[in-house]
Every structure is written in C-alpha cells, then in structure tokens.
Amino acid sequence: MAKRDYYEVLGVSREASIDEIKKAYRKLAIQFHPDKNPGNKEAEEKFKEGTEAYEVLSDESKRQAYNQFGFAGVEGMGAGAGGPRDYSTVYRDFEDIFGDFSGIFEGFFGGGARKSSGRSHVQRGSDLRYNLEIDFTDAFRGTKAEITYNRNAPCQVCSGTGAESGSGRKTCPTCGGAGQVRRNSGFFSIATSCPHCGGEGYIIENPCKACGGSGVVRKQQKIKVTIPAGIENGKRITISGQGDAGPNGGPAGDLYVVITIRPHNHFERSDDDVYCVIPISIAQAALGADLYVTNLEDRKIRLKIPPGTQEGKVFRLRGEGFPAVGNPGRRGDMYIKIMIRIPTRLSSRSKALLKELSEIEGEISDPQPVSLSELRSR
C-alpha cells in the first residue's frame, strides 16, 4: 500500500502552523487511541500513520527536508520507509497534546520514549481544617492559642510502615515493585495499575495489628498557633505537616486554621481601619471642646472638637488602626463619628437657658430643607 502524503494524513495544508499541526494530530490520536478502539487493526494503523506524520511535520528540519525531497528526504532521520523511527519529539509534546490522556500512553512509543521509573507515588495525608474564634483585640495585638484536634498520626508500633514489627514489606511479585503492569497490543504498550498491590509496588504479608496495616492511628493532638497582629476575619493560617499522616509512611497533609473574629462592643473594622462613634453634648458641639478617646491599645488620644461641630461629623486619627500583617510599621487609621446627645430630662435652670438661647438665635417654626450641596460641604 502506497504511503499517503503527511499533510493529507493530518488533514492540514502545507502552510499549516505548528499549532495547527499539533491540533490536527491531537484530534486524530484521540479518535484512534487504543482505549477507544481495542483490537481494531485499522485504527492502530491510522494512529501509527498519524504519529509518523506528526513526528516529521513537528520537527522543522525534517519538515523542510520532506517538503523539498518527499519521503526520500526523511529516510534515516527517524521516519520514512524502512528507517528506525525516533518518537522522542512526539513523546515530548505528548502531555501538551493530550493533557489528561498522557498517562494512558506512557511508555507507548518504545525506543524514543522515557522509561517507567517504577513506583514513585507516595500517598499524602489529607489536609485538615480547624475553626478558631478570637477576640477583636487579639486580632489587633496578635496572640498565641492552644488548639486540640484529632488527626491520623503515624503508628508508633510499626513506625508507620503498616507491617508487623520485623516482617517489613515484600516486593509485589506481579509487577516487580513497579506498581504497574503492561499489556502489549501490536504497536501499543499500555501501562495500568497493578491489580495485586493496587499500584503501591509492594505488599504487606503481616499487617500491623495496632493500625490494621494502614500505618496510621487516630489520636488527639495539641499544638500552639501563633496569630499575627492585624489578621483579618476569615483568613487562614497554614501549619505544614500537621494534617493527617499519609498511609504506610506517606507524608502528612497540612492543617488550616481559619480565623473568626468576635465583634467588639465599640469598634468596627474595614480593612486596616477602625471606626467608632462618640457622644458629645449640645454645648460641646456648639462651643467646641478638648476630648480624650481611648484607642485599641487602651491609650488616651486627644481629640479637638471645633465650635459648631455638626451631628455625624467624622474625625480621622492617622495610624491608630490595625497593623498590616507582616508589616507592623504600617497601620490603618481610626475614624471617629460624632453623635450629639440630646438631654431627655432638663432642670428648670436648663430649660430657662435653652429657651433664652432659642430666643437669641431667632429660631423659626417653619424651617426649610437644607440643600444637599450644603450637607456635602460639612
């Protein structure tokens, strides 16, 4: 049977880009791969033909030789009639071309492909989550907290191996420790997980009685967690290696401590800024006053209220907010909103003074709405 033109095999033009060639080969390879066509010789030949075409057209020098001299130009270069084929270029691109299919074809191309490295997978333990609630001021200052939780820890009896003391593990006789077995089907060599050892590469003949052969036991653990100053609500702290231990000596997962901050009676937070409301009297608002407000460090800070201060006025104290995590020298600000407290009980003297003030100010009984622009300017 006469060989078909490589461009015809992949269904692309002679001016096709490498991306177009790769896309065409991917489509062809997925259509004719062995898992979709078991025992189908025609599909096997089409895959073989497509792979040979891609091996040439994906290599710039081979493609140039093929374009100039045809099949004769690539004989002895790893493709063409009778020549030994080098599929290393195809294999190198395989993961990019097939994505999740690449594992199916590991070892598929023979001489030019990488060899299986045997059992290399060690199962990692699960990550764990712990919800920790702290006070508002602890989030501001930073603190340490001791937490208690349950995790899978390495079995002390078998040192995490899962085997009875002294018995150890035995290399799987089915896969020889590779964790994989291969089946050949003409052009194809497909690796699958060993059914005897489950892909581990070894078997345990005498499982540890304390852990049942898993290498892990359930235990309660206490650790101290450092909470950095300035941490925000909902943030998580990662503690490496304090999750579940992996089975049969596998590495441990991580512990994620998720922070919840209790509300404060007087302060609210937005990013690194804090907000509060303080009440002042009518006289303080009208005449002005020097006040002292307490910040999150329990330190008194002087706040000057100018005469004529209106309800809702906001004052800003720079650098009195939360510290930035990892940069305690940078802090947010503190915003203080003024609330004018109206007395509900007045003495005779207070009533007389307020009445006199009302007369002096010439207060009217039909006030007009204040313009929005005036409100914004205050």
Side-chain angles (χ1 to χ4, degrees), residues 67-210:
N67 288 343
Q68 189 169 1
F69 302 108
F71 296 116
V74 292
E75 286 184 10
M77 297 180 69
R85 296 192 181 98
D86 174 15
Y87 291 109
S88 57
T89 301
V90 180
Y91 193 87
R92 185 178 64 245
D93 294 341
F94 222 81
E95 185 173 354
D96 183 37
I97 294 172
F98 294 102
D100 293 339
F101 287 104
S102 60
I104 298 174
F105 295 95
E106 187 174 351
F108 177 83
F109 293 112
R114 59 187 176 190
K115 303 297 183 183
S116 172
S117 59
R119 180 181 178 270
S120 59
H121 173 70
V122 177
Q123 188 175 347
R124 180 179 180 271
S126 300
D127 295 328
L128 299 178
R129 170 177 173 145
Y130 186 95
N131 296 322
L132 178 61
E133 190 175 57
I134 63 174
D135 287 335
F136 193 91
T137 51
D138 285 336
F140 172 76
R141 297 188 181 101
T143 188
K144 292 183 182 293
E146 185 175 76
I147 65 173
T148 302
Y149 65 102
N150 294 319
R151 68 183 287 251
N152 288 338
C155 176
Q156 299 299 310
V157 176
C158 65
S159 300
T161 64
E164 195 70 41
S165 180
S167 64
R169 308 182 221 184
K170 179 182 176 182
T171 300
C172 175
T174 302
C175 65
Q180 296 178 334
V181 292
R182 294 183 178 277
R183 61 182 177 86
N184 297 313
S185 176
F187 182 67
F188 306 107
S189 174
I190 303 172
T192 58
S193 181
C194 176
H196 190 193
C197 66
E200 294 295 332
Y202 61 84
I203 57 174
I204 299 174
E205 293 184 315
N206 298 308
C208 171
K209 293 182 178 62

Side-chain angles (χ1 to χ4, degrees), residues 280-283 340-347 350-351 354:
I280 64 174
S281 68
I282 295 175
I340 299 176
R341 179 171 287 168
I342 308 297
T344 56
R345 294 183 180 180
L346 295 172
S347 65
S350 297
K351 289 180 180 179
L354 286 174

Side-chain angles (χ1 to χ4, degrees), residues 355-363:
K355 185 175 181 181
E356 183 180 352
L357 176 63
S358 177
E359 291 172 353
I360 294 172
E361 290 294 316
E363 293 176 350

Side-chain angles (χ1 to χ4, degrees), residues 39-355:
N40 187 329
K41 292 294 183 182
E42 182 180 354
E44 180 178 320
E45 287 301 318
K46 286 184 179 294
F47 189 97
K48 186 176 180 179
E49 182 183 46
T51 300
E52 181 180 316
Y54 178 76
E55 190 270 329
V56 170
L57 298 185
S58 64
D59 184 287
E60 185 176 350
S61 60
K62 292 179 183 179
R63 183 179 181 181
Q64 185 177 354
Y66 176 73
N67 288 343
Q68 189 169 1
F69 302 108
F71 296 116
V74 292
E75 286 184 10
M77 297 180 69
R85 296 192 181 98
D86 174 15
Y87 291 109
S88 57
T89 301
V90 180
Y91 193 87
R92 185 178 64 245
D93 294 341
F94 222 81
E95 185 173 354
D96 183 37
I97 294 172
F98 294 102
D100 293 339
F101 287 104
S102 60
I104 298 174
F105 295 95
E106 187 174 351
F108 177 83
F109 293 112
R114 59 187 176 190
K115 303 297 183 183
S116 172
S117 59
R119 180 181 178 270
S120 59
H121 173 70
V122 177
Q123 188 175 347
R124 180 179 180 271
S126 300
D127 295 328
L128 299 178
R129 170 177 173 145
Y130 186 95
N131 296 322
L132 178 61
E133 190 175 57
I134 63 174
D135 287 335
F136 193 91
T137 51
D138 285 336
F140 172 76
R141 297 188 181 101
T143 188
K144 292 183 182 293
E146 185 175 76
I147 65 173
T148 302
Y149 65 102
N150 294 319
R151 68 183 287 251
N152 288 338
C155 176
Q156 299 299 310
V157 176
C158 65
S159 300
T161 64
E164 195 70 41
S165 180
S167 64
R169 308 182 221 184
K170 179 182 176 182
T171 300
C172 175
T174 302
C175 65
Q180 296 178 334
V181 292
R182 294 183 178 277
R183 61 182 177 86
N184 297 313
S185 176
F187 182 67
F188 306 107
S189 174
I190 303 172
T192 58
S193 181
C194 176
H196 190 193
C197 66
E200 294 295 332
Y202 61 84
I203 57 174
I204 299 174
E205 293 184 315
N206 298 308
C208 171
K209 293 182 178 62
C211 64
S214 67
V216 296
V217 292
R218 202 70 175 163
K219 67 170 287 189
Q220 190 178 81
Q221 178 144 334
K222 288 184 179 181
I223 62 171
K224 283 191 175 181
V225 181
T226 299
I227 315 294
I231 193 166
E232 294 183 60
N233 190 62
K235 292 295 184 180
R236 71 181 190 181
I237 299 170
T238 302
I239 305 176
S240 300
Q242 292 299 322
D244 281 339
N248 304 119
D254 297 332
L255 173 66
Y256 296 109
V257 180
V258 181
I259 302 298
T260 300
I261 301 174
R262 300 185 190 99
H264 195 279
N265 287 334
H266 306 298
F267 294 100
E268 289 186 355
R269 179 181 181 181
S270 176
D271 296 325
D272 289 334
D273 297 326
V274 291
Y275 295 79
C276 68
V277 177
I278 63 169
I280 64 174
S281 68
I282 295 175
Q284 287 173 322
L287 302 175
D290 284 336
L291 305 179
Y292 290 88
V293 296
T294 303
N295 69 359
L296 285 167
E297 297 172 292
D298 291 328
R299 180 165 48 85
K300 298 289 186 181
I301 303 173
R302 183 173 177 268
L303 176 65
K304 186 175 182 61
I305 304 295
T309 294
Q310 302 295 307
E311 169 86 14
K313 174 70 176 179
V314 176
F315 294 92
R316 177 185 184 184
L317 299 178
R318 294 182 182 274
E320 296 296 339
F322 271 70
V325 175
N327 185 9
R330 183 171 63 86
R331 292 179 54 166
D333 300 326
M334 182 176 177
Y335 292 88
I336 302 171
K337 185 176 182 179
I338 296 300
M339 179 183 75
I340 299 176
R341 179 171 287 168
I342 308 297
T344 56
R345 294 183 180 180
L346 295 172
S347 65
S348 299
R349 175 65 175 158
S350 297
K351 289 180 180 179
L353 290 173
L354 286 174
K355 185 175 181 181

